[in-house]
Amino acid sequence: MRARDIDDWPACIPDAHPGYISWERHQENLKILKANGHGFEAARASIPREGPALLQGRAVCGQCGSHHRVRYAARRGRQEAWYSCTRSRIYRGEPMCQSIAGRPVDQAIGMLQSVKSSLRHTVPKPDAPRRESPCRLQSTFTLMQRQHAACS
């Protein structure tokens, strides 16, 4: 099963149900996602190679925009990953753009993944009714009264 293009949908009724974002914002987000995905086709088409690096084929150089290559070096008795941008060196004989140690990058990615999974368990489901504390409801009500009084 493949995702259909919006032009191939049998029907589309925008705003038929209340959403978290407007239909227009959703369309803008889709355009941004599509634009961000350009240039990754080659990385998506190939499988990751051997090694523990988390961003193989995904890390992009902030200076020239090419994909970082992962190289491994045996240091202190263990294999260490390095994300390196070698495009300028290979194609133009210039110095390498940048090289970043993989361990701190992979640790940050690991932290993001753990935050994402913990948020998945703490954020209420959209269908779940929200319970407001009486104090919060009272403060919201008081604020609304003040705003109404200021407008009158």
Side-chain angles (χ1 to χ4, degrees):
M1 177 180 246
R2 68 171 183 85
R4 289 184 173 186
D5 210 19
I6 193 169
D7 298 329
D8 297 335
W9 292 0
C12 177
I13 307 170
D15 301 320
H17 302 282
Y20 289 109
I21 59 173
S22 68
W23 177 256
E24 291 78 22
R25 181 66 188 160
H26 172 68
Q27 294 300 315
E28 290 172 21
N29 289 350
L30 290 177
K31 288 178 186 174
I32 292 168
L33 287 171
K34 187 174 182 180
N36 288 345
H38 288 300
F40 288 94
E41 288 81 12
R44 287 186 185 137
S46 65
I47 59 171
R49 298 188 61 181
E50 72 283 341
L54 295 177
L55 297 178
Q56 293 183 46
R58 301 285 189 235
V60 177
C61 178
Q63 294 179 1
C64 72
S66 69
H67 289 279
H68 280 259
R69 295 176 186 218
V70 180
R71 67 177 176 85
Y72 294 96
R75 294 195 180 144
R76 294 179 220 115
R78 64 179 175 186
Q79 189 179 33
E80 292 183 359
W82 285 82
Y83 296 100
S84 304
C85 179
T86 57
R87 184 176 191 167
S88 60
R89 187 181 75 191
I90 291 172
Y91 292 106
R92 295 185 297 274
E94 298 172 353
M96 191 165 43
C97 283
Q98 57 185 333
S99 182
I100 304 166
R103 187 171 182 208
V105 173
D106 291 345
Q107 285 174 343
I109 296 299
M111 285 177 32
L112 288 173
Q113 288 175 339
S114 66
V115 167
K116 181 181 174 184
S117 66
S118 67
L119 284 176
R120 197 176 290 146
H121 299 294
T122 59
V123 174
K125 294 181 180 177
D127 298 329
R130 293 185 182 161
R131 293 185 187 157
E132 296 286 342
S133 69
C135 294
R136 180 165 171 86
L137 289 174
Q138 180 61 44
S139 64
T140 303
F141 180 71
T142 305
L143 177 64
M144 290 172 66
Q145 282 181 325
R146 287 181 188 158
Q147 288 175 342
H148 179 71
C151 293
S152 301

